[in-house]
Amino acid sequence: MVSYNYKEFLCLIEKCVEKEKKYFFYGENIFQINLTVEQLLKKIGKAEKETIYSWETSIEQIFTKLSTSTLFCEKVAVILKNFEFTKKKFRKSLVEFIKNYECEQYLIIIHEGVLPYKEMKNDKDGTLDFLLKKTVSVDFANFSKQEILNNFIPNNCTKKLSDSAKHLLFENSGNDICLLYNELNKISFYKPDVQEITETDVEKCCSVYDNSEIKDLFYSIENRNITKSLSILSSLFVNGIEPVYLSVSLYRYFRKQFLWGKIQQSKIFEILKELHNMDYKLKTTSNNRYVFESVVINLCKILGS
């Protein structure tokens, strides 16, 4: 099959949906991956859609989901996320599954990160090579600085930003498009009577800066000091920290730790699961402080195990 960059794929998405059922999306641009998955699902149409994470499933479960349609939907679309964290045994089984299964339903595999030369060179079981050749593979490279400043920021904010404000946002988002998008949403609702956002406005309304207490919290978690971590967390809530700010900061901190290779591979799965659970609980309960206390304790335990 053919490999595309995401811009090429978006132009051919309708033809792909008609002919192909297996997709492999990979790259650093997680924001664009999620956006493209949404567009792909819309083109697929009425279907039973399910997102599963690589660390909490098996090949047998994937097979069951792909081969079980409902009374209301003949089509099924399974999105397998975080393929980058799968182990050799799982990858080998997935290859065998795809080889032997006549894919009548849609399988979308997502690898959040580039496929560096080193990883391809160590691809001894041939999994990545197989996916690149036997699925519709799409490369999601990050936006360039000019694309972000000239296109992404203006297209995703209802207010005009000064050049200095744009550059400040770009510099402090660390090329994290998901974070930048969230900040632009906040700016869109900042001071309704203000039409142009300045550098000062960005400093006031955006969470691109971690205050010293949050940095102390991360340091305490990293050192598995539960007592100090809870004490700092209590101080943050007394000072009126916004739960969404703390949640975004936690995600951003651990994503950087993953990218820099500072956390053992075996612990990444547990941390991601804990952060996903945190996100779910924050949306379904009003006791945000209790949620964060539980998360802090569990993260300390995971890092100390």
Side-chain angles (χ1 to χ4, degrees):
M1 294 188 189
V2 183
S3 293
Y4 304 101
N5 63 51
Y6 74 88
K7 292 178 182 178
E8 294 170 334
F9 176 73
L10 289 173
C11 294
L12 301 168
I13 192 168
E14 289 188 13
K15 290 183 179 179
C16 288
V17 168
E18 291 174 5
K19 297 180 180 179
E20 307 297 345
K21 298 293 198 307
K22 301 182 289 291
Y23 299 84
F24 180 47
F25 292 173
Y26 63 93
E28 294 177 289
N29 197 337
I30 300 168
F31 177 86
Q32 188 62 52
I33 288 178
N34 292 334
L35 204 62
T36 303
V37 168
E38 287 181 15
Q39 291 176 277
L40 179 59
L41 292 174
K42 285 181 182 178
K43 296 298 180 182
I44 290 172
K46 189 177 181 181
E48 184 74 19
K49 307 174 182 77
E50 184 154 4
T51 299
I52 53 180
Y53 295 90
S54 60
W55 62 82
E56 61 181 13
T57 191
S58 65
I59 298 302
E60 291 74 19
Q61 289 176 317
I62 294 174
F63 173 77
T64 300
K65 294 180 188 299
L66 285 171
S67 41
T68 306
S69 55
T70 68
L71 293 172
F72 305 102
C73 296
E74 292 183 1
K75 297 177 184 177
V76 176
V78 172
I79 302 101
L80 176 62
K81 298 195 77 171
N82 295 117
F83 186 75
E84 68 275 15
F85 297 130
T86 52
K87 296 182 179 179
K88 183 178 179 180
K89 183 178 179 181
F90 181 91
R91 293 185 175 207
K92 187 175 180 181
S93 298
L94 181 65
V95 168
E96 290 303 314
F97 167 70
I98 294 176
K99 282 181 180 177
N100 299 313
Y101 174 63
E102 290 297 328
C103 216
E104 298 179 1
Q105 305 295 357
Y106 294 89
L107 175 62
I108 306 164
I109 302 167
I110 298 176
H111 183 292
E112 294 186 1
V114 295
L115 300 180
Y117 172 75
K118 182 178 178 181
E119 187 169 348
M120 293 300 296
K121 187 178 179 181
N122 293 332
D123 185 32
K124 294 179 181 179
D125 56 7
T127 304
L128 296 175
D129 185 60
F130 175 84
L131 291 174
L132 289 171
K133 291 179 179 177
K134 300 298 181 180
T135 66
V136 177
S137 57
V138 185
D139 183 5
F140 289 81
N142 250 339
F143 300 132
S144 68
K145 180 177 180 179
Q146 289 308 311
E147 285 178 312
I148 292 173
L149 295 176
N150 298 335
N151 301 317
F152 186 82
I153 290 178
N155 292 341
N156 289 283
C157 188
T158 58
K159 295 181 182 294
K160 182 181 178 182
L161 279 79
S162 68
D163 287 342
S164 60
K166 290 180 185 178
H167 280 85
L168 182 62
L169 270 174
F170 174 78
E171 289 167 10
N172 288 281
S173 63
N175 216 22
D176 186 331
I177 304 301
C178 294
L179 172 62
L180 178 58
Y181 179 76
N182 289 334
E183 300 298 351
L184 290 171
N185 275 336
K186 285 196 287 185
I187 288 172
S188 294
F189 293 98
Y190 175 72
K191 291 185 178 178
D193 55 324
V194 173
Q195 294 304 311
E196 180 169 297
I197 299 298
T198 65
E199 186 176 351
T200 303
D201 293 322
V202 170
E203 292 175 350
K204 287 181 179 178
C205 77
C206 293
S207 59
V208 292
Y209 303 98
D210 288 332
N211 64 41
S212 58
E213 276 195 304
I214 286 187
K215 289 179 180 177
D216 288 341
L217 175 63
F218 296 155
Y219 181 77
S220 297
I221 292 173
E222 192 175 320
N223 286 280
R224 288 88 70 189
N225 191 330
I226 294 177
T227 303
K228 187 171 183 181
S229 297
L230 290 176
S231 175
I232 295 170
L233 184 66
S234 175
S235 177
L236 286 168
F237 271 95
V238 167
N239 291 329
I241 191 168
E242 290 292 333
V244 66
Y245 178 22
L246 184 54
S247 174
V248 168
S249 295
L250 271 169
Y251 266 106
R252 188 166 71 248
Y253 171 76
F254 278 105
R255 282 182 65 181
K256 286 180 180 178
Q257 299 303 301
F258 298 157
L259 290 171
W260 294 338
K262 292 190 174 183
I263 293 179
Q264 294 176 16
Q265 190 81 11
S266 59
K267 295 180 180 180
I268 292 177
F269 307 107
E270 295 180 74
I271 292 171
L272 279 172
K273 191 171 184 179
E274 189 63 37
L275 293 176
H276 282 299
N277 287 339
M278 174 192 72
D279 187 53
Y280 173 75
K281 289 175 182 177
L282 288 173
K283 292 174 181 174
T284 56
T285 182
S286 59
N287 196 341
N288 293 325
R289 180 166 176 169
Y290 172 76
V291 172
F292 282 113
E293 286 174 345
S294 299
V295 169
V296 164
I297 292 170
N298 291 337
L299 288 172
C300 287
K301 288 180 178 178
I302 291 169
L303 292 171
S305 61

